Amino acid sequence: MLTLKQLETFVQVVELGTFERASQRLNATQSTVSKRISELEQATGLRLFDRSRRNARLTEEGERLLELAYSTLSDARRILELKARPEHMLHRVRIGFTELAALTWLPGFLRDYTTERPDIRLDITIEMSRTLYQQFQDGELDLVVIPQVPDAFAQPGVETQLLENVEMAFMAREGLVEESQPIPLSALERYPLISQGKSSGFAQDINRWLSHQGMSAATLTADNLLALVGLVTAGRGISVLPKRCVQRLAHDQGLEILETIPSLPSIGYHALYHGGVRIQLLEELAQRLAAAADFTRPFFLSERKAQTI
């Protein structure tokens, strides 16, 4: 059986050059040191030292083992330090966000939260909501911030926290839609509808709602939100977009909001996280996310410019 004592003895013999010096450092007999090295060679099937020489000279196999021995002993020390110094434990949380969060409040949250909680390391994934939800189900993410997924609320062991209801609106380039507002949805059928693809949770919710209202599916898709806004700005069609965020994002770009009958529903963005032994940590993080969430202001707009929009 391979043991840490064998690896420690091996490292000491290498560093001090002889079995005799290693036995003195380890406060053990020379025969004990020799026995540990023999047991290590038997456990690994490797010949570690060239015993034809007076000093303990490593073989090529011993050289390869030495690097792994250092790494293993270092990891073992860190494990033992967890109990001795619990205040220095680093909690790793794998967390996923959609593009809308990344464009708005996420950078500010990360800046503040990492300062407040240096004991927590957030591993961030930015993806489409359907992909994030699948990774969450597969156990690859601990917490995700995505539009409401009805299936998730029925799953045992999944906790949810509402962050914000995001107001949605039809938008188009000024002058593209000539009808007087508010516009019946049926009147918008003559304009190309641009939407995010099937991997977008909010696009799927909106498309489902539009289908119930009798509207046709989108004729053009763009998974990237900024690309979608660009297509609308270029006059290629109309789209359902996060109202206040895009208003600020597309300031001076000639976009207008189309008031419709009926008006569009808001989309609820939730934090989903797994229950279990870390539920308190994840619950506190979800509450902190809820306090920071503001899907209305692109992070790269200056405060003064945002206030004038």
Side-chain angles (χ1 to χ4, degrees), residues 246-276:
V246 174
Q247 268 186 303
R248 289 170 165 161
L249 188 65
H251 182 53
D252 294 334
Q253 297 300 313
L255 286 185
E256 66 173 337
I257 294 172
L258 307 176
E259 302 295 342
T260 61
I261 303 175
S263 57
L264 286 157
S266 297
I267 300 295
Y269 274 75
H270 291 75
L272 274 60
Y273 54 97
H274 295 290

Side-chain angles (χ1 to χ4, degrees), residues 7 10-11 58 79 107 127 183 186 195-196 226 236 263 275 286 292:
L7 292 176
F10 171 61
V11 168
L58 283 175
I79 290 171
E127 257 293 358
I183 307 169
S186 58
S195 174
Q196 288 191 313
L226 291 179
R236 298 303 302 269
S263 57

Side-chain angles (χ1 to χ4, degrees), residues 98-104 126-128 166-169 171 194-197 200 202-203 221-233 239-247 249-250 255 269 295-298 300:
T98 61
E99 185 183 16
L100 183 58
L103 287 172
T104 51
I126 308 297
E127 257 293 358
M128 303 292 284
V166 178
E167 188 178 3
M168 310 300 292
M171 303 189 78
I194 311 171
S195 174
Q196 288 191 313
S200 168
F202 95 73
T221 60
D223 281 342
N224 182 280
L225 181 60
L226 291 179
L228 196 156
V229 173
L231 290 171
V232 176
T233 302
S239 184
V240 176
L241 296 166
K243 180 178 178 180
R244 294 177 63 190
C245 173
V246 174
Q247 268 186 303
L249 188 65
L255 286 185
Y269 274 75
F295 290 89
T296 67
R297 179 175 297 167
F300 44 81

